[in-house]
Amino acid sequence: MFEQVTAAPPDSILGLTEAFKKDARPEKLNLSVGVFKDDKGRTPVLKCVKEAERRLLEGESSKTYLSIEGSPEYGRAVRELMFGADHEIVRSNRACTAQCPGGTGALRVAADFVKKLFPSATAWFSTPTWPNHQGIFKSAGLAVASYPYFDAAKNGLDLTGMIAALNTVAAGDVVVLHGCCHNPSGVDPTPEQWTQIADVVLGRGALPLLDFAYQGFGRGLKEDSVGLLTLARPGAEMLVASSFSKNFGLYNERVGALTLVAKDAAVAETALSQIKTCIRTNYSNPPSHGGAVVATVLNDATLRQQWDAELAEMRNRINGMRTLFQKTMESRKTGRDWSFITQQTGMFSFSGLKPEQVDMLRDKFAIYIVRDGRINVAGMSAETMDRLCDAIVAVL
Ligand code: LMR
């Protein structure tokens, strides 16, 4: 049977890291996958994570299964981090959370849940979006559609196009929005624009699904939740797929969450029972370790403070790299305006490079970025900046 199987194309992001590993050139630079690196090119384990792991190792007395929806302490910590402990959604218990294997796992559970309960829903995505988004929802059997988002001419948000498309969304459709640090463009709506987006999505009777994978990587933990909080109107429903890969550096622990916000606590509990059946028939129940680390840090005042500081350090490093990237490109006198680099937020910068230019960066200069032109700013360093910018100028 297997002889008839033809090869699948490599993944447009993770496939690049596979190719990068095979590249024998010593000067090679991987700015494709969204992974934070320090000045020395390392992806460190956060100190607060190490301390939480030490405590867990000492205190762990069993490896028995978690429940299908995972640890309740973790779920509570996730909701409090996203909405704030005093938010009406948290206090009223009209939200429930399932611990999921990464943000991707949370998205897939969301897609399975929607397909099972609302099979005729279409899932809407920004153009461009994270390349895996549509694949996840198509694999779950849902129809997908796109709304305009990025305006290449002004390197900013195409709000008019976005609102016009969202005005055609049917009641019961799912609108996938990037909570902050839009991947790949780095362009986020302003608070006023979020209000307009929420008015249309909720006004159409569509279900917003926030992909919230970068909280704290943009402007700050609170500042980055402006979109989420704008959508969290009294009685309004939504789904949130969140991830701790980036802000806790827990990439390989696969720790994420799917949070469902319903009209009231009873509706949320009933909906959770359906989410649980989706999980049970997929991976049964979640892995424990990553969630335990996150809950330990978020529920301990000292560790929480340490995490805030370490997160700020990562954010500041990324923003420092943005400034240096812009300055270095400007010093090359290309005749182009590079100010968009420091206006974008989060891990990524949308360089505007064409696929052939991206290929040339890889083939001639051993620099790997995603083919849509996305560069991982969090992977840049002062040491490699001149080489990167010279290579970009050469391919331009
Ligand atoms: C990315 O966009 O690079 C990350 O979210 C990693 C991934 O799984 O694609």
Side-chain angles (χ1 to χ4, degrees):
M1 288 164 71
F2 299 154
E3 276 176 24
Q4 305 160 33
V5 177
T6 54
D11 181 77
S12 59
I13 295 177
L14 300 184
L16 287 169
T17 297
E18 288 167 24
F20 177 82
K21 283 182 183 157
K22 288 186 194 140
D23 193 325
R25 292 172 289 181
E27 74 281 15
K28 64 184 179 177
L29 203 56
N30 188 2
L31 301 175
S32 56
V33 66
V35 169
F36 176 86
K37 293 183 188 148
D38 65 15
D39 275 335
K40 303 272 177 294
R42 295 171 304 211
T43 303
V45 181
L46 300 190
K47 293 187 194 77
C48 61
V49 166
K50 275 280 182 213
E51 173 56 20
E53 287 184 316
R54 193 190 61 73
R55 291 186 197 177
L56 287 169
L57 187 65
E58 274 174 15
E60 190 177 57
S61 56
S62 175
K63 292 276 190 198
T64 187
Y65 293 123
L66 291 183
S67 59
I68 297 174
E69 73 272 36
S71 139
E73 294 78 38
Y74 171 77
R76 196 167 43 251
V78 169
R79 292 190 294 276
E80 289 183 358
L81 179 67
M82 294 194 308
F83 296 103
D86 288 335
H87 196 283
E88 156 276 313
I89 285 180
V90 175
R91 282 190 283 110
S92 66
N93 287 325
R94 69 178 184 95
C96 54
T97 302
Q99 181 174 344
C100 294
T104 306
L107 286 166
R108 181 57 196 253
V109 172
D112 286 342
F113 168 74
V114 172
K115 175 66 188 172
K116 190 172 173 213
L117 278 304
F118 312 101
S120 55
T122 294
W124 290 75
F125 299 90
S126 63
T127 303
T129 194
W130 182 50
N132 208 18
H133 264 157
Q134 293 209 6
I136 292 169
F137 283 75
K138 281 187 201 162
S139 294
L142 284 164
V144 296
S146 300
Y147 58 85
Y149 187 86
F150 181 69
D151 180 343
K154 66 173 195 209
N155 260 307
L157 182 66
D158 175 9
L159 185 71
T160 312
M162 181 180 186
I163 295 290
L166 293 180
N167 260 317
T168 68
V169 165
D173 278 357
V174 178
V175 177
V176 179
L177 298 156
H178 297 232
C180 65
C181 307
H182 184 268
N183 178 7
S185 75
V187 171
D188 286 335
T190 62
E192 296 71 34
Q193 290 170 335
W194 270 118
T195 302
Q196 292 185 54
I197 294 164
D199 285 348
V200 179
V201 173
L202 299 175
R204 301 284 307 169
L207 178 70
L209 192 173
L210 238 76
D211 185 350
F212 204 30
Y214 296 91
Q215 189 181 6
F217 262 55
R219 297 189 164 89
L221 283 169
K222 265 207 153 144
E223 294 83 344
D224 290 350
S225 59
V226 60
L228 175 99
L229 295 176
T230 306
L231 286 156
R233 292 183 179 165
E237 298 178 335
M238 74 169 131
L239 293 171
V240 189
S242 51
S243 163
F244 294 107
S245 294
K246 326 283 176 180
N247 54 13
F248 269 79
L250 284 168
Y251 306 89
N252 67 10
E253 298 296 352
R254 310 308 300 133
V255 50
L258 176 63
T259 298
L260 176 142
V261 182
K263 188 176 112 240
D264 58 38
V267 176
E269 204 183 316
T270 306
L272 179 66
S273 71
Q274 292 290 349
I275 288 179
K276 283 163 66 176
T277 67
C278 297
I279 292 172
R280 178 62 172 149
T281 53
N282 185 347
Y283 53 87
S284 190
N285 49 71
S288 168
H289 183 72
V293 169
V294 170
T296 302
V297 172
L298 293 181
N299 293 328
D300 178 277
T302 313
L303 291 182
R304 168 65 204 249
Q305 218 177 15
Q306 192 175 10
W307 176 60
D308 283 343
E310 290 186 271
L311 180 59
E313 211 177 292
M314 290 195 278
R315 182 171 61 243
N316 292 340
R317 194 187 108 67
I318 297 172
N319 289 335
M321 283 302 111
R322 285 193 180 281
T323 307
L324 184 63
F325 186 31
Q326 179 183 338
K327 220 172 108 204
T328 314
M329 286 310 301
E330 280 169 353
S331 73
R332 270 37 178 190
K333 306 276 179 254
T334 57
R336 292 178 185 227
D337 178 8
W338 296 97
S339 59
F340 66 87
I341 298 170
T342 45
Q343 284 152 23
Q344 297 167 339
T345 55
M347 255 184 166
F348 306 114
S349 183
F350 217 29
S351 65
L353 292 181
K354 306 275 169 293
E356 318 79 66
Q357 295 169 323
V358 172
D359 293 346
M360 214 187 295
L361 267 188
R362 185 194 58 224
D363 298 341
K364 284 183 78 172
F365 301 98
I367 295 172
Y368 287 69
I369 69 169
V370 180
R371 236 165 155 252
D372 61 9
R374 188 192 85 171
I375 305 184
N376 175 22
V377 183
M380 295 177 182
S381 71
E383 205 184 312
T384 56
M385 192 62 82
D386 279 324
R387 192 159 67 76
L388 170 67
C389 293
D390 287 339
I392 292 176
V393 172
V395 303
L396 281 174

